[in-house]
Amino acid sequence: MAALRVLRVRLGRPETAGTLLAAASAVSYGVTIVVNRELATRGFGPEATLSFRFGIAAVATGVLLAALRRPLLPAPGERGRVLLLGAVGYATESALFYSALQRGSAAAVALVFYSYPGVVAAIEIGVRAVRPSGRLLGALAVSIAGTALVVATGRGVEITGAGAVLAMGAALSYAVYVLAGSRVVTRTEPLTTGAWVALGACLSLTALGVVGGSLRAPGSAWWLLLLDGLATASAFCLLFAALRRLGATRTSVVMTLEALSAVVLGAAFLGERLGGPQLAGGAAILAAAAAISLMRTKPPAMPVEEL
C-alpha cells in the first residue's frame, strides 16, 4: 500500500505527467511516420496524403479548442503569420519528409530527420545567435557522424541518396520553421497555433494538389488517412500539454522518442530491421539531439537581428 501511495504521488507531479504526455506525443508522431510510409508504398503522393492529414488534424484540434473553451483564433496581428507558418513552413517540411519516405524506410528517414536539433544549433551559430562551445561543436560532430552512418549502411532498412537529401532538407526546413515560429508568433496560445498551422498546411497542399492534378480519392486506404490525421491531432495536443508541465527543454529531450517510436513501429508493422551500424548511428543522433537540447548556449557578445 505504501508503494502504491508513493507511485500515485509521483504520477501526480507535473514533471512526471509532463514526461508521460511528451512520450505519448512522440509515439503519436511515430505512428504518423509509419502510416505515411505505408501510404507512400501504396502510391499516394505528398499532396494526396498530407492534405487529408492536416485537414483532419485541423478539424479535430478545433473541436478540442471549442470543447475546452479556448481561443479559436490566433492573437490579433499574428493570424496571417500563423497561417503562413503552416502554408509555407510546415507544408514544405512535411512534403519533403513524405517525399523522403517514398525513397527510404520509416526508420532510416526518421533517424536522418532527427538531426534537426543539430541543424538548429548550426544555424544559430551561423547567425551568431549563440556562441559555439566545445560541447556544442562536439554534439554537432556526433550528430553528423551518426547521420552519415545511418545513410551509408543498411540491411533491410534502406534509404536512397535522394531520400537522404530530402530527409535532410526536411530537417533544415523544420529548423527554419522552429526558429521563425519562435520569433513571429509569441502571443497566440500553442494549441491554437497548432490548429492554424495544420489548417494552413492543408490549404496550401490541397491547392498544389488541385493545380498539379495529384489529389486522389482515399479508396480502401481511408482508414489510414483518418488514423494519420487523428494521430497528428493527438501529437499536437499532447505536445502542448507537455510543454505546459515540463518546459521546452525537457520536452524536446523526451521527444527524441519520436525517432525510436518510428524504428520500433516500423519493425513491428512494416517488417523493417536495423543492423548494428545503423543502431549505433541512430543512437548517436538521438544522444546528440538530447545533449543539444539540454545545453545552455552562451548569448553573443553583441545583439543580432531577428531572422
Side-chain angles (χ1 to χ4, degrees):
M1 291 298 292
L4 183 59
R5 283 196 296 271
V6 171
L7 180 61
R8 285 175 178 172
V9 169
R10 289 182 177 177
L11 289 177
R13 292 176 179 174
E15 296 83 1
T16 303
T19 299
L20 293 174
L21 288 166
S25 176
V27 173
S28 294
Y29 276 121
V31 170
T32 68
I33 293 171
V34 172
V35 170
N36 284 334
R37 170 61 178 169
E38 175 62 23
L39 288 166
T41 61
R42 295 190 183 198
F44 283 82
E47 295 86 359
T49 298
L50 299 177
S51 58
F52 278 101
R53 174 189 176 187
F54 292 122
I56 294 169
V59 171
T61 309
V63 169
L64 180 62
L65 284 169
L68 295 175
R69 297 184 178 180
R70 304 286 283 278
L72 292 175
L73 296 177
E78 293 187 351
R79 293 169 186 174
R81 298 176 189 177
V82 176
L83 204 60
L84 281 175
L85 273 178
V88 178
Y90 208 67
T92 299
E93 179 272 326
S94 299
L96 288 170
F97 191 94
Y98 191 90
S99 297
L101 286 172
Q102 293 177 305
R103 298 163 175 84
S105 65
V109 172
L111 290 172
V112 172
F113 172 78
Y114 233 87
S115 61
Y116 83 80
V119 177
V120 172
I123 291 174
E124 290 191 314
I125 291 172
V127 300
R128 295 191 295 173
V130 299
R131 290 178 181 175
S133 65
R135 290 175 60 195
L136 179 57
L137 293 176
L140 287 173
V142 170
S143 180
I144 293 169
T147 302
L149 196 57
V150 170
V151 173
T153 62
R155 188 177 61 198
V157 180
E158 300 174 352
I159 187 169
T160 66
V165 170
L166 287 164
M168 285 302 300
L172 175 60
S173 61
Y174 188 69
V176 173
Y177 161 81
V178 168
L179 291 170
S182 66
R183 287 161 171 75
V184 303
V185 179
T186 58
R187 293 179 292 111
T188 302
E189 287 201 20
L191 192 56
T192 306
T193 298
W196 279 70
V197 164
L199 177 61
C202 171
L203 292 175
S204 65
L205 289 163
T206 300
L208 286 173
V210 170
V211 172
S214 57
L215 296 181
R216 56 179 285 190
S220 61
W222 66 268
W223 66 277
L224 285 170
L225 292 167
L226 179 61
L227 176 60
D228 200 16
L230 293 178
T232 300
S234 170
F236 280 176
C237 297
L238 290 167
L239 175 60
F240 295 138
L243 285 168
R244 287 183 178 275
R245 294 164 174 81
L246 205 60
T249 298
R250 284 195 252 180
T251 299
S252 65
V253 174
V254 179
M255 286 300 294
T256 57
L257 290 173
E258 176 186 344
L260 179 61
S261 297
V263 171
V264 173
L265 292 171
F269 296 103
L270 302 179
E272 299 176 357
R273 294 291 184 273
L274 283 172
Q278 286 200 318
L279 279 172
I285 292 170
L286 298 184
I292 291 170
S293 298
L294 288 171
M295 235 172 259
R296 291 185 176 180
T297 52
K298 298 177 182 178
M302 298 293 291
V304 296
E305 295 183 359
E306 293 186 350
L307 291 178

